[in-house]
Amino acid sequence: MLLKKLSAVIACLSLRTSASPVHQPQSFCSPSYPASGWEIRDIFSQYVEQWVYQRDYSAAAAKYLSPNIIQHNPQIANGSAAMVAAVGPILANYDGPNFSLVVVDEEKGLAVTLNRYVGKPGTGLPIAGVTDFYRFDGTCIVEHWDVIESLPPNSTNPDPF
């Protein structure tokens, strides 16, 4: 009897934490729906996988970013198309990320990534530490900030990033 109950509880938990949801929407932003904390965490994990690691910017933007995302980087215009156009050419010259830390504050709908990129050989680009901050509205990423720090050639800190 106890074994049957335990099996039922484990089955329920595995359904809730399943990595492959039954239905994947084409976009989490058309329209955006209210989301629980674990849904925001799951959506953001999928976004980071597709945007940061697979570097599939166009598809990730279409699925996870508001077309009108507010951009706080002064060199990138608002909107997901502008973000894709700016990021792709820059990251084409970098290897990495070598490290990614992902933090999600589910209650406030905020998410952060911290990445370390290394310029590809021959580009002359330094190691760069990049922190991206995202704000969710329900299931949709609607706002982005970033902080980018390049390692200067005369760095006295052996472990800056």
Side-chain angles (χ1 to χ4, degrees):
M1 180 72 158
L2 179 59
L3 187 56
K4 282 186 178 182
K5 286 183 181 181
L6 185 57
S7 296
V9 168
I10 290 171
C12 287
L13 288 174
S14 67
L15 286 175
R16 181 171 181 217
T17 61
S18 173
S20 55
V22 174
H23 171 68
Q24 278 288 335
Q26 295 244 341
S27 172
F28 286 100
C29 297
S30 58
S32 177
Y33 297 101
S36 68
W38 67 270
E39 288 171 313
I40 288 173
R41 181 175 291 278
D42 186 50
I43 291 166
F44 190 65
S45 294
Q46 292 174 47
Y47 166 74
V48 168
E49 175 63 31
Q50 191 166 11
W51 182 274
V52 176
Y53 291 108
Q54 296 174 9
R55 295 190 182 187
D56 187 0
Y57 309 119
S58 295
K63 190 169 185 177
Y64 302 103
L65 303 180
S66 166
N68 303 314
I69 188 169
I70 299 167
Q71 178 60 254
H72 294 283
N73 181 318
Q75 297 176 339
I76 303 174
N78 287 338
S80 60
M83 193 165 165
V84 169
V87 170
I90 293 169
L91 289 184
N93 291 313
Y94 280 96
D95 285 329
N98 298 76
F99 166 82
S100 185
L101 171 67
V102 178
V103 178
V104 180
D105 181 339
E106 298 97 339
E107 290 180 21
K108 294 182 180 159
L110 299 173
V112 179
T113 61
L114 173 61
N115 297 295
R116 182 177 182 264
Y117 292 93
V118 178
K120 288 185 178 178
T123 63
L125 293 171
I127 295 172
V130 180
T131 303
D132 291 287
F133 300 86
Y134 299 91
R135 183 177 68 82
F136 277 80
D137 180 6
T139 58
C140 184
I141 299 172
V142 296
E143 202 162 359
H144 171 257
W145 299 259
D146 58 19
V147 179
I148 302 169
E149 182 76 31
S150 295
L151 182 65
N154 61 349
S155 174
T156 56
N157 183 344
D159 301 306
F161 309 125

